[in-house]
Amino acid sequence: MPTSRSYRDSCAIARALDVVGERWALLVVRELLLAPQRFSELRHALPHVSSNLLADRLRELERNGVIHRPAATEGPRAYELTERGRKLEAVLLALSDWGMDAPQPPPPSALSATSVLIFLRSAARPDPAAPPTNCRLELDGRVWTVRLESGRVQVQPGEPATAAASLRTDPGTLSALLTDPATLATACADGSAAVVGDPSAIERLLHSVTDATAGTPADHEHPVSTAP
């Protein structure tokens, strides 16, 4: 059942925590930063939450105007952030900065595609003088368009109109590749990654993550802008 607990404190911090302070609530918001997701997709991205608890959090967030479900032409309706919900991106960025020194959780731990993509979008610093390049990225069966342009990386859900190359892998492998792009050939050889098209485009994408952002996507989740 959705909770109706309250701190019964008039401070704005307490009132904010009344809305998003329950366990899993902010991770649901994180998962919706880049694209709407259906219940099954959120359940896959957050494997350690039970279906009942996830359903409760979604109802609470919807009731409080953080997320909503627009009408769908077919299939289950997807959840997406409201304008009010998108304002939490800055909160998540600050929490990410604060949490960098926190220890890693014990295995088995989860790493969602959204987490890795938020890291990539924030940490990447491609050559601003290089021509714009589109890459197709497939993670856990979902396709994303990753565009390198003007020294930035943009991430959009869906198939690119054109792409110099395509990379199919899983979030954990992509995390490792962003940490050490030299392992791309090994990942392709053992089947954990597959590249179609111009390999140099994928290498350029991987190498665009600068040495200044040492660590892994699990350490750095820095949403710097919201995909439209």
Side-chain angles (χ1 to χ4, degrees):
M1 294 289 292
T3 181
S4 58
R5 291 180 295 186
S6 170
Y7 288 104
R8 301 179 68 85
D9 187 315
S10 295
C11 170
I13 296 172
R15 287 183 283 134
L17 290 173
D18 282 345
V19 176
V20 296
E22 292 292 338
R23 188 169 174 81
W24 298 105
L26 283 177
L27 293 188
V28 169
V29 174
R30 180 198 70 190
E31 289 304 310
L32 298 178
L33 280 176
L34 296 182
Q37 296 198 47
R38 297 186 294 271
F39 183 90
S40 60
E41 293 168 329
L42 290 168
R43 185 72 180 83
H44 177 77
L46 302 169
H48 298 299
V49 64
S50 69
S51 295
N52 288 343
L53 184 53
L54 177 58
D56 286 347
R57 292 296 167 268
L58 290 169
R59 281 192 288 266
E60 292 163 7
L61 291 170
E62 191 170 14
R63 183 185 67 212
N64 285 294
V66 178
I67 64 175
H68 68 138
R69 288 181 296 169
T73 56
E74 58 181 36
R77 290 189 294 168
Y79 294 90
E80 64 180 53
L81 294 174
T82 62
E83 182 178 352
R84 175 174 169 78
R86 290 207 167 276
K87 294 178 180 179
L88 286 166
E89 185 173 8
V91 176
L92 291 174
L93 184 153
L95 281 173
S96 176
D97 284 339
W98 187 85
M100 277 189 212
D101 295 328
Q104 289 284 344
S109 60
L111 182 63
S112 74
T114 298
S115 296
V116 183
L117 291 170
I118 289 173
F119 167 73
L120 171 61
R121 186 184 64 175
S122 171
R125 297 293 184 270
D127 181 0
T133 303
N134 283 341
C135 294
R136 180 186 185 273
L137 187 58
E138 184 176 343
L139 293 173
D140 285 347
R142 186 165 189 172
V143 176
W144 302 84
T145 297
V146 179
R147 183 171 177 83
L148 291 74
E149 183 178 17
S150 302
R152 299 182 61 190
V153 165
Q154 301 169 357
V155 178
Q156 301 281 352
E159 294 276 358
T162 59
S166 174
L167 171 65
R168 176 176 51 79
T169 188
D170 60 87
T173 300
L174 180 57
S175 171
L177 291 173
L178 291 171
T179 302
D180 186 3
T183 60
L184 177 61
T186 301
C188 291
D190 66 22
S192 57
V195 174
V196 176
D198 181 4
S200 67
I202 299 301
E203 291 170 357
R204 179 187 165 203
L205 173 64
L206 299 176
H207 281 284
S208 68
V209 177
T210 65
D211 293 338
T213 54
T216 68
D219 299 318
H220 306 271
E221 290 170 2
H222 290 177
V224 293
S225 64
T226 300

